[in-house]
Amino acid sequence: MTTIRFPTAPSPGSVLGAAPHVTESADAYRATGGYADATGPDELLHRLAASGLRGRGGAGFPAAVKLRAVRERGGVPVVVANGEEGEPGSVKDRWLLRARPHLVLDGLVRAASVTGAVRGYVYLSDPEAGARVRRALAEREPHLPIEVVETAHTYVAGEESAVVRRIDGGPALPTAKPPRPFERGVGGAPTLVSNVETLARIALIAARPDLRDRIARATLVTLSGGRGAPVLTEVPYGVPLRTLAAAHGTPDAAGALMGGLFGGLLDARALDLPLDPDALAAAGTALGCGAIRFLAAGACPVSTAADAVGHLAAESARQCGVCVSGTAAIRDAVHALCAGTAAPDTLAHLDRWSRGLPGRGACGLLDAAAGTAGSLLLAFPDLVRSHLGGPCPGCIAAFATAPPAGGHGRRLAVAVPEVADAASSRTPLPALKGTP
């Protein structure tokens, strides 16, 4: 079961709130300063730009720049809260919609005021989250018309052009760019597609400008793998990955799979990197959606890579021929390494694909598969070469409970923390020891 832990203690400006295991009511949210009208759209945009708030959907794009692009595009914009969480190792977005729907809705309304939008959508695939968002809308009907749009859960359904396509009545599949949604989105209007955590932080910055920088420079992370049970927590930028590994219960971690499936694999030496988007990008990895899967000492990273690329190949939208063939080729090559049946030229093929395939699909799925393969070769070269000599005991042990053909999602998936409806279930939560 996934637990929620405060890094130290509940504090103002935390996305976790005071009781993250209970769905927050409208009255409780108002009591913390939510839905206040003191901040105008121009002032809020200035605050967001000054804070340096980045999007939390994966790309880390500056939130103020994205809002301004929609605002200046002309026409009558649309705003979308994107809660479709495609990464199997991430739970933060579904938890937010279940536990703090008013915080997300407040952020969506504020984004609408900044951009001049006249309608909004909450886009998701989790039925429980959908029910709680609808109930929150009934508790406090916003000035902005907001519709909940549900979709089937897939890896690509949360890609911004897929979001627009689904809201417009089509399938949740990516489209070629340009145009991008800020240029032409829902119904042809300029559209802001913003991750729900990003919107939550916009609402918090509006309510607590005195905590602006702290709010912008903290992030929700989902920690899994290793020897510890999955954890959802909030940490400030700058915390070393090694500290998070120790706090999670894997102090001797052999590495990590970063950013869900988008940041690639890191070895143990790289765990000294700080949890900071710029520092991680400079090191060739990414924070992404904040999902970090630690590798236990003795675990084989090739089996983790096999899980990742196998899941990506299965989740391909099958619209781009290069993605279908490329992800399948990478999957088969990594699985052959696990089984000890790889040909002598397998590593050369993987290296070539990792360099040549990124950027050739309509979305980032192919990039993620190629990046995982490339990072495996870069972080663990000697260990990968040893797989050319025969079956790997570590891989055999990893696949013993679920074969590669169907076990990827089950091994990578993290359950959403339980969020109760009744306020009477409030109980103290443990702190995540080892973090600031």
Side-chain angles (χ1 to χ4, degrees), residues 4-7 14-21 95 100 220 232-234:
I4 304 173
R5 299 185 192 173
F6 292 113
S14 169
V15 170
L16 287 178
H21 55 303
W95 169 80
R100 306 207 66 189
L220 292 175
L232 174 65
T233 189
E234 185 176 22

Side-chain angles (χ1 to χ4, degrees), residues 11-116:
S11 62
S14 169
V15 170
L16 287 178
H21 55 303
V22 180
T23 299
E24 189 174 47
S25 68
D27 289 342
Y29 181 61
R30 284 194 196 94
T32 65
Y35 291 130
D37 296 327
T39 306
D42 292 338
E43 174 61 22
L44 178 56
L45 186 60
H46 172 74
R47 289 180 189 173
L48 295 175
S51 74
L53 177 68
R54 296 171 182 250
R56 297 299 197 272
F61 197 75
V65 174
K66 197 169 183 179
L67 284 161
R68 188 175 286 111
V70 175
R71 176 178 180 166
E72 296 177 351
R73 189 66 186 177
V76 183
V78 174
V79 289
V80 180
N82 186 4
E84 169 44 23
E85 198 165 31
E87 294 282 6
S90 179
V91 298
K92 68 182 183 70
D93 296 338
R94 285 166 289 172
W95 169 80
L96 260 172
L97 291 171
R98 293 183 185 189
R100 306 207 66 189
H102 286 287
L103 179 63
V104 175
L105 291 172
D106 192 3
L108 185 63
V109 171
R110 293 181 187 278
S113 73
V114 170
T115 60

Side-chain angles (χ1 to χ4, degrees), residues 241-242 253-256 265-272 295 375 378-381:
L241 298 178
R242 194 177 303 281
L265 287 156
L266 300 178
D267 63 15
R269 294 169 298 177
L271 296 181
D272 291 321
L295 308 180
S375 67
L378 183 65
F380 303 97

Side-chain angles (χ1 to χ4, degrees), residues 7-393:
T8 51
S11 62
S14 169
V15 170
L16 287 178
H21 55 303
V22 180
T23 299
E24 189 174 47
S25 68
D27 289 342
Y29 181 61
R30 284 194 196 94
T32 65
Y35 291 130
D37 296 327
T39 306
D42 292 338
E43 174 61 22
L44 178 56
L45 186 60
H46 172 74
R47 289 180 189 173
L48 295 175
S51 74
L53 177 68
R54 296 171 182 250
R56 297 299 197 272
F61 197 75
V65 174
K66 197 169 183 179
L67 284 161
R68 188 175 286 111
V70 175
R71 176 178 180 166
E72 296 177 351
R73 189 66 186 177
V76 183
V78 174
V79 289
V80 180
N82 186 4
E84 169 44 23
E85 198 165 31
E87 294 282 6
S90 179
V91 298
K92 68 182 183 70
D93 296 338
R94 285 166 289 172
W95 169 80
L96 260 172
L97 291 171
R98 293 183 185 189
R100 306 207 66 189
H102 286 287
L103 179 63
V104 175
L105 291 172
D106 192 3
L108 185 63
V109 171
R110 293 181 187 278
S113 73
V114 170
T115 60
V118 297
R119 70 186 190 279
Y121 297 87
V122 179
Y123 178 83
L124 49 80
S125 65
D126 177 27
E128 185 172 342
R132 300 196 189 194
V133 171
R134 290 185 177 95
R135 187 173 62 196
L137 288 169
E139 278 187 298
R140 183 191 184 278
E141 185 175 350
H143 301 303
L144 181 77
I146 295 176
E147 179 183 345
V148 177
V149 176
E150 296 194 23
T151 188
H153 175 69
T154 67
Y155 187 83
V156 300
E159 194 273 341
E160 62 176 7
S161 67
V163 173
V164 169
R165 196 173 178 185
R166 174 68 184 90
I167 292 174
D168 276 341
L173 297 173
T175 59
K177 275 81 67 180
R180 294 190 174 276
F182 83 90
E183 298 168 312
R184 181 179 176 84
V186 175
T191 299
L192 174 79
V193 179
S194 186
N195 173 261
V196 293
E197 185 188 349
T198 310
L199 294 171
R201 294 191 182 278
I202 288 174
L204 287 173
I205 289 172
R208 295 298 306 265
D210 56 318
L211 301 177
R212 180 188 70 193
D213 294 342
R214 181 196 300 179
I215 294 165
R217 294 188 59 79
T219 193
L220 292 175
V221 290
T222 309
L223 310 177
S224 63
R227 294 197 301 272
V231 168
L232 174 65
T233 189
E234 185 176 22
V235 295
Y237 288 166
V239 176
L241 298 178
R242 194 177 303 281
T243 299
L244 291 179
H248 175 248
T250 312
D252 56 350
L257 178 64
M258 291 293 299
L261 305 182
F262 197 79
L265 287 156
L266 300 178
D267 63 15
R269 294 169 298 177
L271 296 181
D272 291 321
L273 287 168
L275 190 79
D276 178 88
D278 292 332
L280 293 173
T285 184
L287 176 60
C289 63
I292 304 173
R293 185 173 186 84
F294 294 111
L295 308 180
C300 183
V302 179
S303 66
T304 301
D307 279 337
V309 298
H311 182 73
L312 290 166
E315 289 289 308
S316 171
R318 310 196 73 78
Q319 294 188 124
C320 308
V322 66
C323 179
V324 175
S325 61
T327 56
I330 293 171
R331 174 202 63 204
D332 292 346
V334 178
H335 285 171
L337 286 171
C338 288
T341 59
D345 58 357
T346 295
L347 302 188
H349 288 314
L350 283 173
D351 180 65
R352 186 175 73 253
W353 294 330
S354 70
R355 298 172 188 273
L357 290 178
R360 296 182 62 186
C363 68
L365 186 145
L366 179 59
D367 294 19
T372 299
S375 67
L376 175 67
L377 298 177
L378 183 65
F380 303 97
D382 295 338
L383 189 148
V384 173
R385 278 193 292 271
S386 72
H387 283 65
L388 296 175
C392 166

